Amino acid sequence: MLHSYAFSNFQSFRERTEVDLTLSRKVALTDWMAESETGDRVSKLMAVIGPNGSGKTALLKPLVFMSWFTRQSFQQPVDAGIPVAPHSAASDDPCEFEAMATDSEGKLWRYVLRCTPQRVLHEALYQKRERFGYVFVRDWNADSRSYVVKQQDFGLPATEARKVRPNVSLISWAAQFGVPLATHLASQGVVSNVNVLGRVPMGDQAVLAAAEHFALHENQKTWMSRLLANWDLGLSGVALEQIPVNDPQQPGRKVWFPFGQHRSRGVDFQLPFALESSGTQGAFVLLSRLLQTLEIGGLAVIDEFENDLHPHMLEPILDLFANPATNPHQAQLLFTCHAMEVLNLIHKSQVMLVQKNPDCESSASRLDAVEGIRSDDNFYAKYMAGAYGAVPVFE
């Protein structure tokens, strides 16, 4: 369960920015919150709002990057760069990242990374017992052009630790050698529609990828079909069929293709998803990401959560994370949103406001940090009136 993350000098964010999902004990416990194994009270969701171009997507990317870096960076070419972009006004300075989370066993970890697009400068992992103690610390020695690695109960042979490539996380490196802790940590993934370039476009490939996912996960497919039928999209269900495709490179190749099932005046028929509305397709793809997170636990990071969806769809989808029956493993959701109706649904501590100053530097803060805000305020009305900032300004 994610407790917090922070970063600096990354894309439009130059100064240190923290996204904290922990809550004060003074906040009444609701279905949107959970008690972590450490005794901390943690939000199960966080909404990110602000004007276009303010840096909302950039606020999500550090989490997605850290997940990729610790899990999959070993797979990239030896001469590949690290996919980070410092702020343009501080291009010679390193990017810094930090995350605090409990794993599936309830242990609290702190991960720290400082790097440039060329190499890791500092990487460390800490575990909290009575207090935080390092599991490993890795530092680049510019004089010797090599890494100095200290370990404590990590388990990677020292000879292999010294060989770690500059563009690879020590966790991802150690997982390739079967180090149990590294393998365990590398399995704690993030499901997202964001990559290094931004939001993954919603199109035919996304629909086909979602269809393939549901074909491999029958329970989630049944769940998705029932939800879409219940959400009044004109569907009675969704069917999947394998369709041959004309691919000279792969003769006989087939892909999974979704069909919307319908009923009219007692007649059953189905339509290929290409003929369904963009909202139906968007909900189908979104559920392929959310349901896998809800089924096994973990974190979903979604950019433009309500894209192509009616605002009334927000509440039933968010309720999947609030309801213990549909979220038994305390999965979390971090998302950007332009549908301000979300402010009527969640607590003020579960909203991040993002804005950009005239120097093209983004900043973010939690809504409950706004001076003078009250729990009984009409957050939607006040935000739309500009009381909290983070709104477009037209001159």
Side-chain angles (χ1 to χ4, degrees):
M1 174 169 275
L2 178 68
H3 287 218
S4 65
Y5 70 98
F7 60 98
S8 62
N9 197 32
F10 177 75
Q11 296 200 345
S12 60
F13 288 86
R14 186 169 181 177
E15 302 300 324
R16 177 181 167 87
T17 300
E18 182 176 8
V19 179
D20 187 1
L21 282 80
T22 61
L23 302 166
S24 165
R25 287 283 170 180
K26 297 179 180 178
V27 176
L29 188 65
T30 71
D31 288 339
W32 300 112
M33 308 164 191
E35 297 275 0
S36 79
E37 298 281 353
T38 60
D40 294 298
R41 186 167 291 178
V42 184
S43 279
K44 289 193 281 186
L45 59 83
M46 181 70 78
V48 180
I49 64 175
N52 292 330
S54 59
K56 297 187 299 299
T57 305
L59 189 76
L60 304 185
K61 286 183 180 180
L63 270 181
V64 179
F65 165 71
M66 283 187 281
S67 174
W68 169 84
F69 192 63
T70 55
R71 298 172 65 212
Q72 298 174 299
S73 56
F74 183 89
Q75 300 171 11
Q76 68 175 342
V78 174
D79 58 351
I82 300 174
V84 295
H87 191 281
S88 296
S91 57
D92 293 332
D93 296 333
C95 304
E96 299 188 358
F97 305 91
E98 180 181 329
M100 192 103 64
T102 49
D103 64 11
S104 57
E105 298 176 356
K107 298 174 182 176
L108 182 63
W109 303 90
R110 178 173 172 251
Y111 176 73
V112 178
L113 174 68
R114 185 168 70 252
C115 67
T116 67
Q118 292 75 40
R119 68 175 64 257
V120 170
L121 300 176
H122 172 79
E123 185 182 23
L125 178 68
Y126 303 88
Q127 182 186 355
K128 186 174 184 180
R129 296 181 175 91
E130 290 184 2
R131 59 182 181 179
F132 277 105
Y134 77 86
V135 177
F136 71 76
V137 177
R138 166 195 181 193
D139 286 298
W140 174 249
N141 186 315
D143 294 331
S144 65
R145 304 293 295 176
S146 63
Y147 284 103
V148 177
V149 180
K150 297 189 300 180
Q151 299 184 64
Q152 193 166 263
D153 301 325
F154 188 52
L156 179 65
T159 54
E160 298 301 337
R162 286 194 292 270
K163 297 177 184 176
V164 61
R165 298 200 305 263
N167 63 350
V168 177
S169 165
L170 191 66
I171 296 173
S172 180
W173 184 268
Q176 309 308 308
F177 296 95
V179 174
L181 176 56
T183 302
H184 171 65
L185 293 175
S187 69
Q188 313 286 313
V190 171
V191 176
S192 182
N193 67 342
V194 175
N195 61 27
V196 65
L197 298 177
R199 182 167 59 93
V200 176
M202 232 306 294
D204 294 341
Q205 291 304 312
V207 172
L208 293 178
E212 181 177 5
H213 172 82
F214 285 125
L216 297 173
H217 300 85
E218 183 62 31
N219 289 342
Q220 293 177 36
K221 186 261 181 185
T222 302
W223 192 2
M224 170 274 298
S225 186
R226 185 176 67 249
L227 286 172
L228 291 185
N230 289 341
W231 287 344
D232 193 25
L233 296 174
L235 297 173
S236 55
V238 177
L240 302 176
E241 297 181 16
Q242 274 194 306
I243 306 295
V245 294
N246 183 16
D247 186 349
Q249 302 298 321
Q250 302 180 61
R253 177 175 171 243
K254 295 181 178 180
V255 298
W256 286 100
F257 200 87
F259 291 85
Q261 297 174 315
H262 300 264
R263 170 170 291 184
S264 177
R265 299 179 184 271
V267 177
D268 293 321
F269 63 96
Q270 61 183 28
L271 296 173
F273 246 57
L275 298 180
E276 298 289 354
S277 73
S278 59
T280 300
Q281 294 181 48
F284 177 75
V285 172
L286 178 62
L287 287 175
S288 72
R289 297 175 173 124
L290 299 186
L291 297 188
Q292 59 180 299
T293 306
L294 289 164
E295 185 171 73
I296 65 174
L299 174 67
V301 178
I302 305 296
D303 191 27
E304 296 195 13
F305 177 81
E306 83 293 3
N307 195 40
D308 292 324
L309 299 179
H310 190 280
H312 288 178
M313 292 288 289
L314 283 173
E315 187 167 6
I317 295 177
L318 294 179
D319 275 343
L320 295 173
F321 285 81
N323 190 338
T326 53
N327 188 8
H329 303 295
Q330 310 286 23
Q332 293 170 286
L333 172 64
L334 176 67
F335 65 99
T336 69
C337 186
H338 285 115
M340 294 305 106
E341 292 82 358
V342 72
L343 293 172
N344 293 327
L345 302 175
I346 58 180
H347 190 267
K348 61 183 179 179
S349 62
Q350 296 168 314
V351 177
M352 291 294 295
L353 302 171
V354 181
Q355 49 196 336
K356 185 180 287 183
N357 67 21
D359 289 323
C360 291
E361 295 182 8
S362 296
S363 62
S365 58
R366 267 186 11 183
L367 179 58
D368 60 346
V370 175
E371 186 175 351
I373 193 169
R374 295 166 49 93
S375 295
D376 58 355
D377 283 345
N378 184 326
F379 302 134
Y380 172 81
K382 286 204 165 187
Y383 173 79
M384 296 301 286
Y388 308 140
V391 294
V393 177
F394 302 101
E395 295 181 355

